[in-house]
Amino acid sequence: MKSELSSPWFHDENAAFAYVESKLWPTGPVCPHCGVIGKASRRGGKSSRPGLWKCYACRKEFTVRIGSIFESSHVPMHVWLQITYVMCSSKKGFPTRQIQRTLNCSMKTAWFLGHRVRECMKEARDLFTPQIGGAGKTLEADDTFIGGSGENRAFGPIPPKQTVMALVQRGGAVRSFHVPNVTATTLAPILGYHAHKDSRFNSDEAAVYRHLGWNFRGGHGAVNHSAKEYVRGDDYTNTVEGYFSILKRGIYGVYFHVSEAHLHRYLSEFDFRYSHRIRLGVDDMQRTDLAIKGAKGKRLTYRTTTGCWAVQVEPPHLGA
Ligand SMILES: [Zn+2]
């Protein structure tokens, strides 16, 4: 038996750097100072640190950490790989306390690590992001509330409920959104960007989805939940409800409480694992590789004015 965790990159710092480099630099080392690709040599010897390269073109030194989520982190690269692996392979999430115990680090370090891995899992959502669905495919949409329970709360105000809308391609990916409300004004641009118009659209009978459903060339199938109707022919919303149940078991059972400001990162985490799940042929190590690739071009910086972490996404380097 060969355990996944016995791979050298989970234990040896040089092997860990080589592994991350193979994912982020598939065509050779990319100098972050001048952009030249494949014209650098690895620094050897006892005096240099693991993962250090020197560019022939500009004579400067660099590592694969620069310009990625791993930049300015003192956490060794093999520990990054360990934590990325456990977060990618734990279906319901991996809480900060457990990161702290597993890595034997401070709560603060554990919290930062968890959120940085969540940033790696976040997919780009811009004009270049391909839509989900398409001709012959079915998209299910639904919304739910997260949090806001006053049960077991000894003091302090009850946190407000947060609304999450999710769009799932049956047998495919999910995209969920923390939304201020469920109105056509809020949902129309989300569906416009993310849902392929040739799909068939399934939802419950809520008026907001009826107003949006006619846009789909595959038609709109609505099941009437208030009349206890859950399936009509091929129309149902069981897939998106199944996704919400994984999300809620994670948020209530593993994370307990998720603040409004960070909810979007937890949604990225659950979306990422669901969209790259075993049933779609993605195993735990392949999912970890995808998260490592997602570290590229993102830097987490602390925004003192708002007191929260923000991500600086850099445009991809030419040729990189
Ligand atoms: Zn250079």
Side-chain angles (χ1 to χ4, degrees), residues 112-316:
F112 289 155
L113 279 169
H115 274 310
R116 285 183 191 206
V117 173
R118 273 174 210 114
E119 283 299 336
C120 295
M121 293 172 166
K122 183 173 278 184
E123 66 173 354
R125 288 201 179 152
D126 53 31
L127 284 171
F128 304 103
T129 312
Q131 293 175 319
I132 55 173
K137 308 231 165 63
T138 303
L139 291 175
E140 296 179 26
D142 200 6
D143 49 85
T144 191
F145 294 115
I146 298 280
S149 170
E151 217 182 324
N152 303 328
R153 208 174 168 81
F155 57 88
I158 297 169
K161 280 186 193 299
Q162 305 302 325
T163 310
V164 173
M165 197 283 282
L167 187 67
V168 184
Q169 180 185 319
R170 208 174 282 165
V174 62
R175 288 185 193 166
S176 60
F177 306 86
H178 179 195
V179 289
N181 50 46
V182 183
T183 58
T185 317
T186 304
L187 300 193
I190 294 178
L191 292 183
Y193 271 118
H194 297 280
H196 198 293
K197 288 289 164 284
D198 290 341
S199 324
R200 180 158 182 83
F201 185 66
N202 278 184
S203 69
D204 63 20
E205 71 290 350
V208 59
Y209 295 113
R210 276 209 308 275
H211 291 313
L212 298 166
W214 62 268
N215 287 301
F216 290 87
R217 290 192 195 95
H220 177 205
V223 284
N224 193 351
H225 285 177
S226 54
K228 300 238 185 316
E229 180 199 45
Y230 296 97
V231 181
R232 185 190 296 169
D234 284 334
D235 293 328
Y236 52 85
T237 56
N238 299 354
T239 318
V240 66
E241 283 160 30
Y243 172 73
F244 281 147
S245 88
I246 300 170
L247 178 70
K248 289 187 173 187
R249 269 180 284 159
I251 289 192
Y252 298 138
V254 175
Y255 293 119
F256 302 116
H257 173 71
V258 165
S259 77
E260 184 181 349
H262 297 296
L263 179 59
H264 69 105
R265 293 213 177 90
Y266 291 93
L267 295 181
S268 305
E269 178 188 347
F270 284 87
D271 280 9
F272 175 82
R273 275 191 303 258
Y274 186 90
S275 296
H276 305 290
R277 59 191 183 274
I278 302 262
R279 279 184 61 189
L280 297 179
V282 185
D283 68 25
D284 290 345
M285 202 59 223
Q286 288 167 321
R287 201 175 305 115
T288 306
D289 288 350
L290 288 169
I292 296 289
K293 285 179 187 153
K296 199 170 173 173
K298 294 175 188 162
R299 275 159 64 195
L300 215 54
T301 51
Y302 196 69
R303 228 185 244 162
T304 42
T305 46
T306 56
C308 80
W309 287 88
V311 181
Q312 247 180 2
V313 178
E314 291 174 0

Side-chain angles (χ1 to χ4, degrees), residues 30-36 39 54-60 62:
V30 183
C31 173
H33 308 295
C34 69
V36 168
K39 296 251 187 304
K54 183 166 182 176
C55 175
Y56 293 140
C58 71
R59 319 297 301 164
K60 286 182 184 150
F62 61 93

Side-chain angles (χ1 to χ4, degrees), residues 20-43:
V20 174
E21 288 161 4
S22 74
K23 303 299 165 199
L24 299 196
W25 293 335
T27 52
V30 183
C31 173
H33 308 295
C34 69
V36 168
I37 304 168
K39 296 251 187 304
S41 65
R42 193 184 282 287
R43 303 294 261 168

